[in-house]
Structure formats: C-alpha cells, structure tokens
C-alpha cells in the first residue's frame, strides 16, 4: 500500500497545535474557575452586605419608633396620668404627623383589658395576636409582616402613672428602609413576593422553590429594570441556589446579579428583599478575558506556524536535497554527488550536517570500494581469460575468440585456421632442469610465438606445453602454412635460460574451418590430431589435418576398446621366430611376435594395431600379457630340454616408461623360478630417445637382475652410436629394411657393414632381421654378423605349432641343415 506523505513541519505543527490547545483549555478552565470563584465571592459579599444593611435599617427603624414613643410619652406625661386617655387623644392628634414623618401607616392603642383606646384603623388579626403576645410577656415585639404589602409591625408595652399597662402597635412602611439600604449599598432594591410553586410543577425541587417570572413587586427603587429582570427569567430556583449563587439575569445588554434576602413567609407566599447588582463588570471581564485568551492563542499559533516554517523548512529542504542525491551513489556518480552542496555555512552544526558529512564520507568509501571492485573484477577477468604464467590468452579466451571468429567469418569471405602447437620433448627439460626452468622456457616460447604471428591473430596457451594460434582471417591455406613456417623458424634459435641453451622445437598441427566443422572445439581437436601426426613424424614440423587422420584416430579409439575385449576373450597369441647363430646355425633364441585373431577381421597384423595403441594404457596391459606368455613359453622350452634358449620380447615405449615393468619382471622370475638370462628385451631407438636418462636407469636396473637388451630397428631412428656407449645394450638388431636391399643397394650394404663393424668394436652382438635369401645370409655371415633372423630360416611360428617345429627343425639345439 502506498503510504501518504506528511511532511515533518506539518507533523511538528500538528503536535505544537495539539499542545497549545491543551494548554489553552487548561488555562481557560483555570481562569474561568477563578472568575467563578471571584463571582461567587462577590455574590456572597453582596448578599452579606445586603443582609447586614437590612438588619441595620430594621433596627434603625425600630429604634426610631421606640425613641419617638418614649419622647412622645414624656411629652404627654403619661407617667403622671392615671389612664391612657391623653395618650389616646394625642395619638389621634398626632397621627397625621406620625404618618408623614415616621412613615407610620397605622397606630393602635389597646389597654391590658383589651379596651381599644385608639385605633387609626380596625385591628387586623396579626396585630391583635402581637398585642396579646406583648401583654402576655410584657416585652416589646417587632415583626415584618407581609400580606399583599409588607410592613414593620412594632408592638410596645407602655405604663401610666398608676402602673397600668397598655400596648401601642404601629405598622411602618418599608419605604424608608428600602431607601436607606439603597443609599447605603448603591444598588437597586425591590421587595418581591412569589407564590409557592405547586408541587406538580416539579417533583425535584423542594417547597421553597420559586419561579422568577412569577414575581410580584411590592416596592422597588427601579420598577422597570426589576420587572424586566424578573419577567424575562422563567427559571425555577430553590432557596439553596438563592443563598449560594444568587440569580444571574440580563437586561438592556447588561448583566445583573439578584440576591434575595427572605423577609417573610406566609402560607401561600414568600417575601424577599431583592438586591440587584450590576454584574456587567464581571461578565465584561469574563468576555474580555476570553477574547484576550483567544487573541493570545491565535498570535502564539501564528508565531508558531512561522517559527516552525522557518526552522523546519530549511531542514526538510536539506533532507530532500540529500534524498535526491543519495541515489547518485548507487549510480556510482560520486563526483556529482559531492558537487551537490550539502553543507551550510552556519556557525553551528546540526544533525543534518553530521548526516551530510557521513554521506560525503560514505561516497568516498564507496568510491574506493568501487575502484577496488573494478580492479578485482579486472583481475578476475584476466585470471579467467589469460594464462598467468605466459600472459597469453587462455583456453576460455580461445573458445570465446574462436566463437567470435566463427561468427565473423560467416559474414565475410575469409577463412579460419587453427594451429595447434606442442613443444617437442618439453617434458625432458622439466625433468632434467626442474619446473622453474621449465616455466621460464614456456614464457620464452610464448614470446617467440607471439612475435611470429600477426597482430590480428591470437596465440593462446592451451595448457602445459601446448599452444593454439587462431588465424581469424586468412585468404587461403597457404597463409596458415606461412605462419607455421615462421613459427618453426623462430624455434630454431636455442632458448637461453640462465647459462643453459635449450633447443626446443615444436610440432604444429594445422586445421581449417570447413562447412562441416562449425564448432570451435572440433577445429581445435582436428589441429590437435594433425599435431600428433607431426610429432609422430619426428616433430619440429607442421602437418595439415585431413580426414584420413581422423579416421586413424577413430580407428585407434575403436582398437582401444576392442583390445580390452580381445584380452578377455583370449584372441591374442604369440608367434615365435627363431634366431640362429650365423656361423654355427645354433639356435640362439626366438623373437616373440604378437598375433591377434580377430573374430571378424581375421588375423590382424601387429603393424596395424600396435602403432595405433602406442603409448596407450591398453598397449601396456597387452605388453604385460605378452611378457607373461613368454615366461610360460620359456618354461615349456626348459621342460623340453632347450635350457639355453632365450626369448626376445618387444617392449612398447609406453610399457618401457611404466614404473611397474621392473617389479613385474622380477616377480615373474620368482614366480616361474627362471633366470633373467633367458630373456632379451627389445627396445626401438624411438623408445630410447623419448627419455634417455630414465631409460638408461631402468635398463641398468633390469640388467643387474640379468636381463639383456637389444636395440630393435637399428638405423631407422636418430640414435647415434654415441648413445650406445652409454647404454647397457647387448645386442643391436639391424633393421630389415636395410637387409632387404643390401645386395642391390650400395648404401644399405655400407650401412650394414659399418654398423656390424662398429657394434663389434663396442663388444656387442649384431642380429640381422629380415634375412630372406641365402645370398643375404652368406654376405652377412662373411661380414661377421652374429645372429640371423628371417624368413630364410623360418617365418614366425604360431604357439600351437611350436613344439612340432622344434621337433622337426632343431636337433640338439642346432638347425637341421638337412631340412634346407
Ligand atoms: P619387429 O620387431 O621389427 O619384428 C619383426 C617383424 O619382421 C615381424 O613382423 C616379422 O614377422 C617380420 N619379419 C621377420 N623376418 C622377415 C623376413 O624375412 N621378411 C619379411 N618381409 N618380414 C620379416 P610382425 O610380426 O608383423 O611384427 C611387426 C612389428 O610389430 C614388429 O616389428 C614389432 O615392432 C611389432 N610387434 C610385434 N609383436 C610385438 C609385441 O609383442 N610387442 C610389441 N611392443 N611390439 C610387437
Ligand atoms: Ca622386434
Ligand atoms: Ca625389427
């Protein structure tokens, strides 16, 4: 849900306003209650003053009447008279003046025997009761009496000269009293009466409740105002309210407080003296107070809004600026971020300055981090794409570039070629000089490679001592050949590492992308196949891939799987070809030659499968099978009485490099209880030169046990006679290719003759193989060749026919001459 935005100043304002409202409410409540208190005080004060005035004026009135009566009695010398006649006469005479001066309304003089001595008027009931009371108690009495009108009734006992008592009763109007109270209090007064409110009107009010509007005015200082005040007020008030609060009323836009002082009650009516105070001053004050407060609040509010605005706006503005520019950090626009002015030029700093500082610092740190990440990414990329040792692009880059080249070439007329390079005999350098020198050599080889190619071409390190050159744009196949030749030329110069010179050549396989070959991996493996061909061909040359190569490889792969099955199915056997002493025709021994009886292809020649399997693990396995079989055959020979016959076993290069060979052979010696002198191990020159040092070491070990060694196919390889001196060799086998043409070809003849001479010179034996004719035999025998092997005597004899052969052809260890 999307949240609504309320800015901080607005929130602040709402908060402040809330607080202000609360304060205002509290203040107004407090000041109102103070005002109320003041008013209540004022009301009770006025009430008290009114009551005091009322009782004072009451007393004054009474006192005046009493004083007047005393002096009047004296004047009429009542104390000297025996009756009250004079008094009665004088009352009658003075009644008018009395009425005028003293506001006396009526005067009654009644004797103790209830004789009516003077009556200004008939005696009303209440006066009669008062007179009887006074006569009974012989004490003066005064009461306020209201019945339609209100009067002060003063009843005083008087005595004549004889001591007889009479009672004077006077009713005095309240006009004077009201006048005096009015004078004293300076407020309007009225005597009002109310009827008792019928209980039906309200059940909640007590009996002393009145309705203001029902007021009847008996006398008043300001009749108009008073009547207006009461008439407009329909309120029902009870006595308690009257006493505690007074009554508030309004008239002529003024406020008044009415205090009611009860003066008399009758059965039907209440009589009150109403004190009317102008309370306008209070309400005005109240109003004024309220206005003042309101204005004050408003002013404070406006001030606050302004203050909040001025204080918070820059704050929020800066916050907004910051929130605007912060995303720049994510976009890595650090400079733009820092160009934004986040700082103020104030004297003091605040939280936002700290935040801005932190953000700036963060930008620097992020920038640094970003630089580091970019650097690391580059490093990672180069690790992923470049070879650390030589600095050449690696296999990943090769695949990438090759794919790119494939893509580009499909849009142009150019052609792609791949050169697969493998340094010849690099392993020897590594083994003899250690890996550090090996690495240095690789670096220099890489440099040579780099300088032999065009800028547009790319040389990669494929792994180990293998390199691949991609020629992304060549016009014809010859261009690739030129590059290969250039490279071969560059490698002719020896590489110098410290003080040693290394002659490192390289074998190159060239493959061209064709329509059939659309995958970069295929192109590389084709070049690889061609490279192997070049290597097999002696190395230091290039070979161009063609489909035959692939077929060969495919055949090899097929062979490899078939050999394993053939071993399990016992399809292998040996044929043995006898070797005879040239002069004596004594049986020297047999060469064991492998045969494969293939269920479909018939007899498969070792020349067809052994070269294919050369160096493979299958060949090694097969080789061990051959060795064991030779041991078994040797056992049979011995059993047959041929105790000094030796068997020549062909060892493949892979097998000879296998560390298990020596223990395997010695174990077999123990197992068959045979002498090692029964066996001659044949090694080709190629096998020997592959790793001359370890070959010599291995030969020495086996020779110590008693095995002898023959160099097979002598003359076809590079091995020089210098090697022969170093090696523990017993026999040299002159290759059959020389023997075949020895009598026709002068060079072959010369090679054979000089080889025989030299070998003999070294104290070794010579075997000539491939001897097919008696002429060859004669020539070789005459020239001191030791041993003869060839069809002239016998083709290789299958194992099964071996015993039969020995029986028919060998007599006492010698060739049966008659059989020829
Ligand atoms: P190789 O070691 O030079 O063996 C001699 C080859 O010359 C044999 O061929 C043999 O039959 C043939 N040969 C002997 N005398 C004559 C002759 O007068 N005229 C002609 N035309 N050929 C003659 P094979 O048996 O076909 O063997 C071929 C090669 O296969 C051998 O050459 C050897 O390198 C390899 N090989 C045979 N058996 C084994 C084996 O058990 N282990 C290994 N590693 N290689 C073997
Ligand atoms: Ca051989
Ligand atoms: Ca041979």
């Amino acid at each position: 849900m999307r949240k609504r935005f309320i800015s901080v100043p607005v929130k602040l304002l709402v908060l402040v306003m809330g607080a202000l409202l609360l304060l205002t409410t509290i203040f107004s409540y407090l000041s109102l209650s103070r005002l109320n208190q003041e008013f209540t005080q004022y009301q009770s004060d006025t009430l008290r003053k009114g009551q005091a005035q009322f009782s004072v004026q009451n007393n004054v009135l009474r006192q005046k009447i009493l004083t007047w009566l005393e002096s009047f009695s004296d004047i009429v010398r009542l104390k000297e008279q025996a009756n009250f006649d004079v008094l009665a006469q004088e009352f009658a005479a003075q009644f008018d003046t009395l009425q005028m001066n003293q506001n006396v309304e009526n005067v009654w003089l009644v004797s103790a025997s209830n004789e009516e001595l003077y009556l200004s008027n008939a005696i009303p009931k209440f006066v009669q009761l008062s007179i009887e009371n006074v006569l009974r108690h012989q004490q003066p009495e005064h009461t306020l009496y209201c019945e339609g009108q209100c009067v002060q009734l003063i009843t005083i006992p008087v005595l004549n000269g004889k001591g007889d008592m009479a009672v004077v009763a006077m009713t005095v109007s309240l006009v004077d009293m009201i006048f005096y109270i009015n004078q004293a209090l300076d407020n309007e007064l009225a005597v009002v009466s109310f009827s008792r409110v019928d209980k039906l009107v309200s059940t909640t009010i007590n009996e002393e409740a009145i309705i203001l509007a029902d007021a009847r005015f008996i006398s008043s200082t300001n009749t108009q105002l008073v009547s207006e005040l009461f008439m407009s007020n329909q309120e029902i008030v009870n006595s308690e309210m009257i006493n505690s609060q007074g009554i508030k009323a309004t008239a002529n836009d003024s406020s008044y407080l009415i205090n009611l002082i009860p003066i008399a009650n009758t059965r039907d009516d209440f009589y009150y003296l109403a004190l009317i105070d102008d309370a306008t001053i209070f309400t005005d004050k109240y109003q004024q107070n309220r206005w003042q407060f309101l204005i004050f609040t408003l002013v404070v509010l406006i001030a606050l809004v302004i203050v909040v605005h001025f204080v918070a706006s820059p704050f929020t503005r800066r916050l907004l600026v910051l929130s605007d520019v912060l995303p720049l950090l994510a976009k890595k626009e650090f400079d733009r971020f820092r160009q934004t002015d986040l700082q103020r030029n104030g004297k003091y700093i605040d939280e936002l300055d700290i935040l801005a500082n932190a953000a700036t610092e963060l930008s620097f740190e992020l920038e640094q981090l970003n630089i580091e990440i970019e650097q690391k990414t580059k490093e990672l990329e180069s690790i992923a794409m470049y070879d650390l040792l030589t600095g050449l692009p690696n296999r990943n880059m090769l695949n990438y570039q090759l794919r790119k080249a494939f893509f580009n070439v499909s849009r142009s007329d150019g052609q792609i070629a791949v050169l697969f390079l493998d340094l010849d005999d690099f392993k020897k350098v590594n083994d003899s000089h250690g890996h550090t020198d090996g690495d240095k050599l690789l670096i220099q080889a890489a440099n040579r490679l780099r300088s032999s190619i065009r800028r547009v071409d790319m040389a990669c390190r494929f792994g180990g001592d293998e390199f691949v050159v991609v020629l992304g744009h060549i016009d014809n196949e010859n261009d690739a050949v030129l590059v290969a030749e250039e490279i071969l030329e560059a490698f002719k110069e020896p590489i110098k590492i410290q003080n040693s010179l290394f002659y490192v050549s390289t074998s190159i396989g060239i493959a061209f992308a064709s329509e059939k070959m659309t995958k970069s991996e295929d192109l590389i493996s084709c070049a690889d196949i061609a490279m192997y061909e070049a290597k097999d061909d002696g190395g230091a040359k290039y070979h161009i891939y063609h489909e035959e190569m692939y077929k060969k490889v495919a055949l090899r792969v097929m062979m490899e799987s078939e050999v394993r099955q053939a071993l399990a199915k016992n399809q292998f056997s040996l044929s043995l070809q006898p070797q005879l002493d040239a002069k004596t025709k004594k049986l020297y021994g047999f060469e064991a030659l492998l045969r494969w009886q293939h269920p479909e292809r018939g007899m498969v020649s070792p020349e067809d499968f052994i070269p294919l399997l050369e160096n493979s693990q299958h060949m090694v396995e097969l080789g061990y099978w051959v060795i064991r079989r030779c041991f078994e055959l040797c056992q049979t020979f011995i059993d047959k009485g041929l105790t000094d016959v030796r068997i020549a076993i062909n060892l493949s290069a892979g097998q000879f490099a296998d560390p298990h060979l020596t223990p395997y052979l010695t174990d077999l010696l123990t197992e068959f209880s045979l002498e090692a002198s029964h066996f001659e191990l044949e090694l080709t020159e190629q096998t020997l030169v592959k790793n001359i040092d370890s070959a010599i070491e291995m030969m020495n070990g086996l020779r110590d046990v008693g095995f002898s060694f023959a160099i097979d196919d002598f003359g076809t390889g590079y091995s020089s006679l210098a090697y022969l001196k170093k090696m523990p060799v017993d026999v040299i086998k002159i290759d059959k290719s020389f023997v075949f043409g020895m009598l026709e070809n002068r060079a072959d003849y010369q090679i054979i003759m000089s080889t025989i001479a030299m070998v003999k010179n070294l104290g070794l034996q010579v075997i000539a193989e491939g001897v097919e004719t008696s002429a060859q035999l004669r020539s070789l025998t005459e020239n001191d060749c030791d041993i003869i092997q060839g069809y002239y005597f016998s083709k290789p004899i299958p194992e099964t026919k071996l015993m039969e052969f020995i029986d028919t052809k060998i007599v006492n260890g010698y060739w049966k001459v008659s059989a020829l």
Side-chain angles (χ1 to χ4, degrees), residues 644-647 669 674-680 705-708:
D644 59 349
V645 172
R646 68 172 69 190
I647 300 178
L669 288 176
L674 289 172
E675 294 289 320
S677 57
H678 288 296
F679 303 97
E680 193 171 85
V705 183
F707 290 99
S708 56

Side-chain angles (χ1 to χ4, degrees), residues 382-588:
S382 67
I383 289 171
M385 291 299 205
Y386 290 87
D387 172 49
L388 285 178
L389 180 71
T390 60
L392 288 180
N394 64 12
R395 215 187 260 222
N396 295 337
M397 182 69 122
L398 169 69
N399 288 329
Y400 170 72
Q401 293 291 349
L402 208 51
R403 272 201 297 275
K404 218 164 78 174
F406 265 102
F407 178 73
N408 288 338
V409 87
S410 61
R411 297 183 303 172
S412 67
D413 300 332
Q415 214 185 343
I416 305 172
V418 159
L419 274 58
F420 199 107
L421 284 85
D422 188 291
L423 301 185
D424 299 326
D425 300 325
F426 173 72
K427 197 171 174 292
K428 278 188 217 160
V429 181
N430 244 0
D431 290 348
S432 55
H433 287 78
H435 286 264
T436 322
D437 280 359
D439 284 353
K440 285 178 185 161
L441 194 125
L442 281 175
I443 293 168
Q444 294 217 31
N447 290 340
R448 266 180 206 198
L449 187 60
R450 205 180 278 132
S451 56
S452 312
I453 58 169
R454 299 175 301 172
R455 277 184 73 87
V456 287
D457 301 328
M458 187 185 66
C460 311
R461 184 171 175 211
F462 196 71
D465 60 342
E466 295 170 333
F467 298 90
V468 170
V469 176
V470 177
L471 308 174
H473 254 279
I474 50 167
D475 297 329
N476 52 53
E477 298 197 351
N478 200 44
D479 285 357
V481 170
L482 288 175
V483 175
E485 279 169 352
E486 181 97 353
I487 295 168
L488 289 173
E489 193 61 36
F491 276 87
K492 275 187 182 155
E493 276 287 304
I495 292 174
K496 194 177 176 199
I497 290 162
Q498 271 145 13
N499 291 322
S500 314
L501 282 180
F502 292 89
Y503 287 87
V504 189
S505 62
T506 174
S507 301
I508 305 174
I510 306 174
F512 298 96
S514 64
E515 273 154 33
K516 279 194 227 158
M517 215 184 301
T518 45
K519 279 206 332 231
S520 57
E521 291 85 353
D522 293 346
L523 188 60
I524 293 169
S525 59
C526 287
D528 190 19
I529 290 169
M531 184 277 292
Y532 265 104
E533 286 285 310
K535 196 147 279 211
D536 276 354
D537 197 14
K541 48 174 75 82
Y542 67 85
H543 269 220
I544 297 172
Y545 174 82
H546 53 83
E547 271 185 44
E548 283 305 309
M549 287 180 186
Y550 180 76
K551 282 184 189 155
K552 214 169 123 186
V553 171
L555 191 66
R556 181 166 68 213
V557 171
M558 199 182 74
M559 283 285 184
E560 278 176 0
S561 76
E562 279 188 347
V563 161
R564 187 164 282 251
Q565 290 174 22
L567 266 174
K569 291 178 182 165
N570 262 330
Q571 288 169 5
F572 289 106
S573 65
L574 293 179
S575 279
L576 291 110
Q577 189 173 32
Q579 299 169 327
L580 302 168
D581 187 296
K583 292 192 176 101
T584 63
K585 309 291 182 291
K586 187 179 185 286
L587 182 65
Y588 175 77

Side-chain angles (χ1 to χ4, degrees), residues 635-756:
Q635 188 72 61
T636 350
F637 287 145
I638 290 167
D639 293 349
K640 193 98 180 110
L642 299 168
T643 46
D644 59 349
V645 172
R646 68 172 69 190
I647 300 178
I649 307 171
N650 292 285
L651 293 182
S652 68
Q655 189 169 23
F656 193 63
D658 186 37
H660 298 112
L661 181 65
T662 309
Y664 189 83
L665 285 166
T666 48
D667 285 355
L668 281 178
L669 288 176
T670 327
E671 191 186 329
F672 287 86
S673 305
L674 289 172
E675 294 289 320
S677 57
H678 288 296
F679 303 97
E680 193 171 85
L681 306 175
E682 287 191 12
L683 300 166
T684 62
E685 286 176 286
Q686 278 99 326
T687 304
L688 284 169
V689 296
K690 280 214 165 113
N691 200 342
I692 191 94
D693 294 330
S694 66
I696 292 174
E697 200 186 312
M698 197 144 168
M699 285 166 90
N700 278 326
L702 287 166
R703 206 170 183 226
D704 288 348
V705 183
F707 290 99
S708 56
F709 284 94
I711 305 291
D712 203 356
D713 303 342
F714 190 82
T716 54
Y718 297 103
S719 73
S720 63
L721 286 166
Y723 276 135
L724 288 179
K725 283 188 193 165
K726 286 203 248 165
M727 284 191 252
V729 175
D730 305 274
V731 178
I732 300 296
K733 288 183 81 173
I734 297 173
D735 190 62
K736 53 185 178 285
S737 59
F738 299 106
V739 177
F740 289 156
M742 65 177 281
L743 298 178
E744 291 84 32
N745 190 319
R746 187 91 200 130
D748 286 352
Y749 183 80
Q750 280 300 325
I751 288 171
I752 292 175
M753 294 315 149
S754 57
T755 306
I756 295 172

Side-chain angles (χ1 to χ4, degrees), residues 585-627:
K585 309 291 182 291
K586 187 179 185 286
L587 182 65
Y588 175 77
F590 294 95
E591 181 180 3
L593 296 158
L594 189 60
R595 295 290 175 263
W596 182 3
Q597 184 64 47
H598 195 277
E600 287 129 37
R601 281 185 266 161
M603 189 62 80
V604 185
S605 162
E607 306 223 274
D608 291 339
F609 69 89
I610 288 177
L612 283 177
L613 296 177
E614 197 67 32
N615 295 325
S616 82
Q617 190 54 39
H618 297 89
M619 190 58 228
V620 175
E621 232 173 281
L622 192 53
Y624 285 127
W625 180 86
V626 172
I627 293 172

